Amino acid sequence: MDYTFTPLAEIAPKVAAARTAFAAGTTRPQLWRRATLERLRDLVEEREEKLLDAFAADFGKPRFEAWTSEIGYIVSEINHALAHLSTWMQPERVATPLAFKPGTSHVVREPVGVACVIAPWNYPVQLLLAPMIAAIAAGNAVVGKPSELAPHAAAEAAALIEAIGDPAVCVVQGGVAETSELLTQRFDHILYTGNSRVARIVMRAAAENLTPVTLELGGKSPALVSRHANVQIAARRIAWGKFMNAGQTCIAPDYVLVERSVHDELVAAIGTHVEEFYGADPQVSGDYARIVNEPHFHRLEKLIHSGTVVIGGTTDADTRYIAPTVLTGITADDPVMGEEIFGPILPIIAVDSMNDAIEFVQQRADEGDKPLALYTFSDSDDENDQVIAGTTSGGVCVNGTLLHFSNPNLPFGGVGESGMGSYHGKFGFDTFSHRRGVHARSTRMDPALMYPPYTSRKQKLVRKGMSLLDPRDVGAKLRGALRGK
Ligand code: NAD
């Protein structure tokens, strides 16, 4: 495998070359944005087999999962950006209050400059390229840094980016030393995906240059299951979302809160679906991933000792295998509830009511642990609405898991400890754009009202004028009144 870290001395020149390209205006035209995105898409499609081999070599990522969550996802994100780019780039006309007429107002989205994208290992190419796609679509130069913990995927991703052959889109390879060096450079936006400890390092470094950051972090994402849920479907969707990529998914359901009366049915159904997915022995299934490295394997192995193992529980250190595992009899104080699990271990906690479940989640949020995702399972819309209204999280999927991530029309991002800012589709374009407010005045007239000397008559008129609403505001006020707000 050809995997070498970028020499420290080469990092500053790479960023400088990206800045030179941006300053020369290379990246601004729509033509460049389109051509670069199309080239990237072609390269991903051409190198599909190599990429799938790399994911398998790093941690046994099943090819089907790797194709859907990496290749297919990246291609559809590029296609979505290409389909909407012209519209996104249009100045957005907004209302101008009557007092400031005659005149017009627009929001113009302009590229911020040179962006930096730092990615983790669990979806190593998708989480590198998807933010880079957004940065390119928004007309920026961009430097990507894949995770050294998925070295095969990092090498393939780097080769792919280098094949674009454009200094405005470049890659730095490495670990802590290289990323630290990268972070001493001046960027105009940094998007970091990974754990919240390193996020604090990134944010501190960004503060030196007042660089805005988007932080895509993790946390404990709960799944709440009501006695009014379709328990069989809930079990299947929770098992799928949890055990995909062997639980190494930022939005995997971390733990389940289930109403006591359906607890046993849910546990049994998860067992049935795990067997349906991976057979009687998941260790020989080609559809089940491995843990990324030994430290994570040993960390996870210790978490199995909470509560009672009712499904799985077997491990194999040599192949870093941990069976899809379900634990019951868990309390909030067990070690498995003390950190993001990020592996194939699912604690299930019985609660007396959905209100208790909401309180459980919200108490953790009040203590600082706002989840990245939240899953609510009920056939009652009112009940799902109550869960959404009574909790907070980066995103929500009702009666499902993971899939809110893949809708490009939804923002993806965390809140509080699970992150700040968002991307995907237009939200990514906006993240890497500066929204510039432009108000254009007419010169057909120039009333003296605003200008000194300030007379009491002028003051009266200005007070009156500034309280007048734009016709669009009047419309909004009426619509609000009709809705009873
Ligand atoms: P990781 O160890 O690969 O680290 C992420 C990046 O930070 C890497 O590129 C790494 O080189 C860099 N890094 C590590 N230490 C550093 C340091 N001291 N200084 C500067 N850079 C450093 O990945 P991870 O952090 O283990 O990722 C797992 C976490 O990421 C989980 O918490 C997961 O929930 C979260 N995650 C979030 C999302 C999301 O979209 N919100 C997606 C995937 C993972």
Side-chain angles (χ1 to χ4, degrees):
M1 182 194 48
D2 177 22
Y3 184 55
T4 43
F5 286 2
T6 305
L8 292 180
E10 286 179 19
I11 293 174
K14 271 183 189 264
V15 179
R19 189 162 291 287
T20 303
F22 177 74
T26 314
T27 63
R28 282 177 185 255
Q30 189 176 155
L31 217 59
W32 178 87
R33 306 183 195 196
R34 285 191 176 279
T36 309
L37 291 175
E38 281 164 4
R39 177 89 182 109
L40 190 56
R41 182 185 57 194
D42 292 347
L43 285 164
V44 169
E45 284 176 341
E46 273 165 28
R47 292 163 183 241
E48 178 177 319
E49 284 306 312
K50 280 185 173 180
L51 286 164
L52 293 175
D53 289 345
F55 302 134
D58 282 330
F59 52 107
K61 212 186 247 276
R63 290 178 104 77
F64 182 93
E65 284 180 14
W67 191 90
T68 50
S69 62
E70 305 260 1
I71 314 277
Y73 182 85
I74 293 162
V75 169
S76 57
E77 190 74 10
I78 293 178
N79 287 340
H80 182 78
L82 288 170
H84 294 275
L85 193 57
S86 308
T87 317
W88 293 347
M89 288 177 70
Q90 289 296 316
E92 180 191 348
R93 187 161 183 164
V94 295
T96 302
L98 280 180
F100 306 115
K101 287 192 169 165
T104 57
S105 304
H106 291 90
V107 179
V108 174
R109 286 168 173 82
E110 61 178 28
V112 291
V114 183
C116 173
V117 172
I118 302 172
W121 52 267
N122 61 328
Y123 290 86
V125 178
Q126 186 229 113
L127 294 172
L128 177 73
L129 293 189
M132 290 181 78
I133 290 163
I136 293 166
N140 299 285
V142 57
V143 183
K145 214 299 285 173
S147 174
E148 73 283 13
L149 298 186
H152 293 84
E156 282 306 322
L160 190 149
I161 292 167
E162 273 155 10
I164 297 174
D166 186 335
V169 182
C170 63
V171 62
V172 165
Q173 291 268 47
V176 176
E178 292 73 17
T179 318
S180 304
E181 173 63 18
L182 186 63
L183 287 171
T184 63
Q185 308 301 309
R186 181 170 65 82
F187 289 104
D188 300 289
H189 196 98
I190 300 175
L191 187 148
Y192 161 83
T193 305
N195 67 71
S196 57
R197 181 188 62 80
V198 174
R200 287 169 165 82
I201 297 174
V202 171
M203 203 165 170
R204 261 183 234 119
E208 282 302 311
N209 293 308
L210 292 181
T211 300
V213 290
T214 302
L215 302 176
E216 296 283 342
L217 315 178
K220 289 183 86 65
S221 298
L224 284 63
V225 183
S226 150
R227 65 184 194 282
H228 304 299
N230 180 327
V231 174
Q232 290 299 320
I233 286 191
R236 190 184 210 181
R237 295 179 182 177
I238 289 170
W240 172 74
K242 178 70 184 189
F243 300 120
M244 173 187 286
N245 212 31
Q248 299 163 112
T249 302
C250 56
I251 48 172
D254 187 277
Y255 64 97
V256 175
L257 298 168
V258 55
E259 280 196 271
R260 208 171 292 286
S261 59
V262 290
H263 171 275
D264 293 353
E265 186 188 347
L266 182 79
V267 172
I270 291 177
T272 306
H273 292 302
V274 165
E275 190 161 340
E276 187 184 287
F277 294 166
Y278 308 113
D281 181 6
Q283 196 166 3
V284 296
S285 165
D287 296 331
Y288 188 66
R290 296 298 182 263
I291 304 307
V292 68
N293 57 27
E294 279 185 24
H296 274 294
F297 174 85
H298 292 304
R299 177 185 65 80
L300 287 164
E301 224 185 2
K302 288 194 199 111
L303 297 182
I304 297 181
H305 302 304
S306 300
T308 309
V309 174
V310 288
I311 296 169
T314 52
T315 63
D316 176 35
D318 289 344
T319 55
R320 302 190 310 275
Y321 165 79
I322 297 184
T325 296
V326 173
L327 307 173
T328 58
I330 296 295
T331 69
D333 301 325
D334 283 319
V336 78
M337 291 303 292
E339 61 183 87
E340 178 184 1
I341 298 168
F342 217 54
I345 301 166
L346 182 65
I348 298 190
I349 300 176
V351 289
D352 290 330
S353 67
M354 283 299 267
N355 276 340
D356 284 1
I358 291 170
E359 212 170 284
F360 186 100
V361 171
Q362 207 40 31
Q363 194 184 330
R364 293 186 70 102
D366 291 341
E367 287 162 7
D369 183 16
K370 295 185 181 173
L372 179 59
L374 181 142
Y375 304 112
T376 170
F377 289 88
S378 174
D379 280 345
S380 154
D381 293 343
D382 285 349
E383 199 166 41
N384 290 322
D385 288 347
Q386 275 165 21
V387 171
I388 295 170
T391 58
T392 185
S393 66
V396 176
C397 191
V398 175
N399 286 322
T401 58
L402 312 189
L403 290 178
H404 62 300
F405 178 94
S406 305
N407 180 348
N409 303 308
L410 291 175
F412 179 73
V415 54
E417 195 69 17
S418 60
M420 62 178 72
S422 62
Y423 71 120
H424 287 190
K426 170 77 161 30
F427 299 96
F429 180 87
D430 280 346
T431 286
F432 288 100
S433 299
H434 165 56
R435 267 168 287 181
R436 197 173 187 192
V438 179
H439 175 50
R441 311 276 309 141
S442 163
T443 53
R444 273 186 284 128
M445 50 198 217
D446 197 25
L449 211 56
M450 304 288 281
Y451 302 120
Y454 302 126
T455 63
S456 59
R457 186 171 165 273
K458 279 185 184 174
Q459 191 170 38
K460 254 192 225 155
L461 285 168
V462 164
R463 278 180 187 242
K464 186 102 188 133
M466 286 187 72
S467 68
L468 285 178
L469 287 176
D470 179 88
R472 285 184 240 192
D473 293 338
V474 175
K477 201 174 166 188
L478 281 174
R479 283 193 296 277
L482 285 173
R483 270 193 238 110
K485 285 182 184 153

